[in-house]
Amino acid sequence: MELDELLKKFREYSSQDTTLLEYAWNYSCEAHQEQKRASGEKYFVHCAAVAEILVDYKMDLETVAAGLLHDVLEDTKIPHETFKKEFGDEIYTLVSGVTKIETLKFSSRDEAQAENWRKMILATAKDIRVIVIKLADRLHNMRTLNFLTREKQLEISHETISLYAPLAQRLGIFQLKSQLEDLSFKYLHPDEYQSLLAKVQLRYAMREKLLEDFRTELEKHLGGANVPHRVLSRAKNLYSIYRKMLRQDKPFEEIQDALGVRVITDTVINCYALLGVVHSVFKPVAGSFTDYIAVPKMNLYQSLHTSVMAASGEIIEIQIRTEDMHRTSEYGIAAHWRYKLGEKGADKHLDEKLNWLRQWMEWLQDLSSPREFIESFKTDLELDQIFIFTPKGDVKPLPVDATPLDFAYTIHTDIGNTCIGAKVNNKMVRLDHELKSGDMCEIITRRNSVPKKDWLTSVKTAGARSHIRKYLREHGQALE
Ligand code: MN
């Protein structure tokens, strides 16, 4: 990737002045000059590749510039203050956000822990663009994983599949999610990956003819109608097929995987016009039609869905949507971001609108039921959460102002009850010390120690308070 290419690609969708990109390109190239990647390439190749991915997702100028610079604070000696003066608050916030996430080391195999981590990453990032940069960074690292040791490959793939792919899914960036999943799958289960890849390729080769017939038929009937359209076959996500095989405990041959196509057109009216043509040519399968244009999904997904019978008797699933809807479904929040930042008539109050909470609320994804929706809404609205590490590296969410005593009780009632002291980041602290997000807290206990009455003023969580009260009551201590 050369600078000229990057600028050319960027200008295809944006009219923002590109001076900043040129400057960031040269600055980063210079800053990383001495470094090399595991592949032996210059380190800067990675920075340019991350910027290219961001341009593919049509991200705004600041995000692409921050992509070029994303490892400068982490990997070079340039002080934060110097960098901030050089590039201003916005770019600094983006880059330091990515750097912060970089320092979090995830190793747990526990799904509940992974969920806490995802929340922590979202809370740490504050600006959703930080996550998009981090995801682009991870995608390029996954693409070049073959240069690392097997041990590193497993570690990074595990982290990618349990943390980053679900994050991409949450943000609705399905294209990125599938890529991250399939790359991780390749390293985590190499044999299964290769065998499935071969089978999927074979199945799709046989179906190509069928798809071609369908297109020809469709074109024939659309011939007269003045409806612009393109037909895409659906991308396959190997890992999701693999998961289906595990879940249903069936071999690939028995996994139902309907032939699917997407028809993309320009306007909503033309979506319905195309639907009319499709239904007049092919027999629709009863009950298969769903109108997600009139009634969008919670995550703003829009499309017309129908299934029809091809001449051969095979069922074909068809999704009809506009270019805009297509972009939203593939790029999720990234598409949305650009849409909002559309430089023509850009909104002056954009900053307020783009705060991460709103984005997050709009983009609650992968939630299948309203109950789940409300649950997740609740937890994520608690922005007053902090995240505290156990010495083993697990993460516990706690309310702001929580103390080591609260932390002790979230681990176990007995740990709370017998607590005699606490260390935060390896230093002894008082039991009413105020914890901060990212602190590592270690609780010191003594076997026969018991809760004290004045603890009631040191704890902030209802859970800890009720455990202390319960103990005092049961041991005959007056509470007031
Ligand atoms: Mn990087």
Side-chain angles (χ1 to χ4, degrees):
M1 185 81 189
E2 291 302 318
L3 175 59
D4 287 349
E5 273 174 81
L6 186 77
L7 297 181
K8 182 167 167 278
K9 269 187 162 183
F10 182 78
R11 289 190 189 115
E12 277 167 21
Y13 67 86
S14 172
S15 57
Q16 278 179 288
D17 182 77
T18 53
T19 316
L20 175 65
L21 286 188
E22 292 175 44
Y23 188 62
W25 177 284
N26 294 323
Y27 189 94
S28 173
C29 195
E30 177 90 9
H32 290 293
Q33 205 169 30
E34 306 298 320
Q35 293 165 280
K36 288 237 160 26
R37 300 201 88 213
S39 62
E41 283 179 311
K42 283 183 160 197
Y43 193 87
F44 178 71
V45 171
H46 166 65
C47 310
V50 169
E52 187 184 10
I53 293 168
L54 293 167
V55 166
D56 286 339
Y57 283 88
K58 300 189 168 57
M59 296 302 288
D60 66 303
L61 183 80
E62 287 74 18
T63 310
V64 179
L68 285 167
L69 298 161
H70 80 275
D71 278 326
V72 165
L73 290 177
E74 164 99 352
D75 293 335
T76 76
K77 294 202 168 67
I78 295 169
H80 283 234
E81 274 313 309
T82 313
F83 184 85
K84 198 171 177 176
K85 268 198 206 114
E86 198 79 47
F87 289 99
D89 280 348
E90 187 175 3
I91 305 266
Y92 173 72
T93 309
L94 294 175
V95 174
S96 61
V98 177
T99 309
K100 260 184 224 143
I101 298 177
E102 210 85 48
T103 58
L104 308 169
K105 272 257 159 284
F106 175 79
S107 58
S108 175
R109 305 264 150 168
D110 173 13
E111 186 42 40
Q113 274 302 310
E115 180 55 25
N116 278 340
W117 274 79
R118 289 194 287 268
K119 278 185 193 157
M120 177 169 67
I121 289 171
L122 285 162
T124 308
K126 295 195 176 73
D127 187 324
I128 217 76
R129 290 176 297 175
V130 170
I131 311 277
V132 178
I133 298 168
K134 183 63 206 168
L135 291 172
D137 174 51
R138 181 49 60 105
L139 179 60
H140 185 250
N141 285 336
M142 288 304 297
R143 283 178 181 166
T144 50
L145 207 56
N146 52 322
F147 296 104
L148 300 188
T149 60
R150 177 77 184 131
E151 198 187 336
K152 267 280 170 205
Q153 288 173 350
L154 287 176
E155 187 188 309
I156 295 173
S157 299
H158 169 68
E159 189 184 64
T160 300
I161 212 158
S162 45
L163 281 188
Y164 291 106
L167 266 181
Q169 176 165 8
R170 254 195 193 190
L171 301 182
I173 317 176
F174 289 105
Q175 221 214 25
L176 195 49
K177 176 224 163 212
S178 307
Q179 289 185 59
L180 289 175
E181 276 185 351
D182 284 358
L183 284 163
S184 308
F185 178 34
K186 184 171 136 187
Y187 288 99
L188 291 171
H189 308 283
D191 296 343
E192 288 89 338
Y193 175 87
Q194 291 304 340
S195 116
L196 191 56
L197 181 65
K199 287 175 184 166
V200 166
Q201 280 171 345
L202 187 67
R203 183 185 276 187
Y204 280 85
M206 296 193 309
R207 283 173 163 194
E208 216 122 89
K209 167 90 177 66
L210 201 67
L211 207 60
E212 222 19 77
D213 292 348
F214 172 78
R215 284 184 201 206
T216 316
E217 195 70 19
L218 195 64
E219 295 299 334
K220 204 167 78 195
H221 289 84
L222 282 171
N226 188 19
V227 181
H229 66 280
R230 58 196 177 100
V231 180
L232 306 173
S233 40
R234 237 154 43 187
K236 335 166 239 314
N237 180 191
L238 284 188
Y239 185 65
S240 73
I241 299 174
Y242 179 66
R243 220 169 18 205
K244 213 171 183 179
M245 288 162 58
L246 292 184
R247 205 171 45 231
Q248 302 181 0
D249 192 23
K250 283 180 183 163
F252 176 72
E253 291 67 25
E254 286 172 38
I255 295 290
Q256 295 293 323
D257 176 31
L259 190 61
V261 295
R262 294 191 172 124
V263 186
I264 319 284
T265 184
D266 56 348
T267 62
V268 170
I269 299 292
N270 279 338
C271 289
Y272 290 101
L274 283 168
L275 178 75
V277 173
V278 168
H279 278 180
S280 68
V281 181
F282 304 99
K283 192 175 160 52
V285 175
S288 72
F289 175 64
T290 318
D291 187 342
Y292 289 117
I293 291 183
V295 187
K297 285 196 194 178
M298 204 106 67
N299 57 31
L300 307 186
Y301 173 86
Q302 287 186 297
S303 263
L304 299 175
H305 286 194
T306 186
S307 295
V308 299
M309 189 101 75
S312 60
E314 189 140 355
I315 306 287
I316 305 181
E317 288 178 2
I318 302 169
Q319 300 172 344
I320 304 172
R321 50 173 80 148
T322 65
E323 291 286 354
D324 269 356
M325 294 170 189
H326 183 55
R327 205 162 44 231
T328 296
S329 75
E330 296 279 287
Y331 297 160
I333 196 157
H336 192 59
W337 190 264
R338 188 174 78 89
Y339 168 71
K340 282 205 162 172
L341 282 171
E343 52 271 356
K344 286 175 208 104
D347 195 322
K348 290 275 175 268
H349 302 290
L350 212 52
D351 285 347
E352 295 159 42
K353 284 190 180 170
L354 294 178
N355 70 59
W356 90 276
L357 175 62
R358 268 198 54 156
Q359 294 288 342
W360 181 229
M361 285 160 65
E362 282 175 17
W363 288 93
L364 280 167
Q365 191 92 37
D366 74 354
L367 302 170
S368 46
S369 73
R371 194 194 58 77
E372 227 185 325
F373 176 75
I374 288 163
E375 282 304 315
S376 131
F377 212 63
K378 264 198 330 220
T379 41
D380 293 311
L381 270 178
E382 284 166 24
L383 275 182
D384 304 334
Q385 276 187 113
I386 55 172
F387 298 88
I388 306 301
F389 289 87
T390 70
K392 281 186 185 154
D394 282 356
V395 181
K396 302 279 176 194
L398 285 167
V400 169
D401 301 341
T403 64
L405 269 180
D406 291 300
F407 180 73
Y409 277 101
T410 56
I411 298 175
H412 197 279
T413 312
D414 291 341
I415 305 273
N417 284 343
T418 58
C419 173
I420 56 158
K423 282 183 182 177
V424 168
N425 306 328
N426 296 318
K427 283 203 194 82
M428 288 299 297
V429 296
R430 290 161 50 116
L431 288 178
D432 62 356
H433 174 86
E434 201 176 289
L435 293 170
K436 283 197 213 57
S437 218
D439 280 347
M440 196 265 274
C441 186
E442 187 183 343
I443 299 298
I444 301 157
T445 58
R446 190 187 298 138
R447 190 134 48 100
N448 295 318
S449 188
V450 297
K452 317 283 179 296
K453 204 159 117 187
D454 65 351
W455 282 8
L456 287 169
T457 55
S458 304
V459 295
K460 298 295 186 307
T461 55
R465 187 166 294 122
S466 78
H467 284 306
I468 298 168
R469 280 175 182 276
K470 182 164 178 270
Y471 183 90
L472 294 175
R473 216 168 31 235
E474 283 170 1
H475 292 78
Q477 295 201 35
L479 285 175
E480 245 70 43

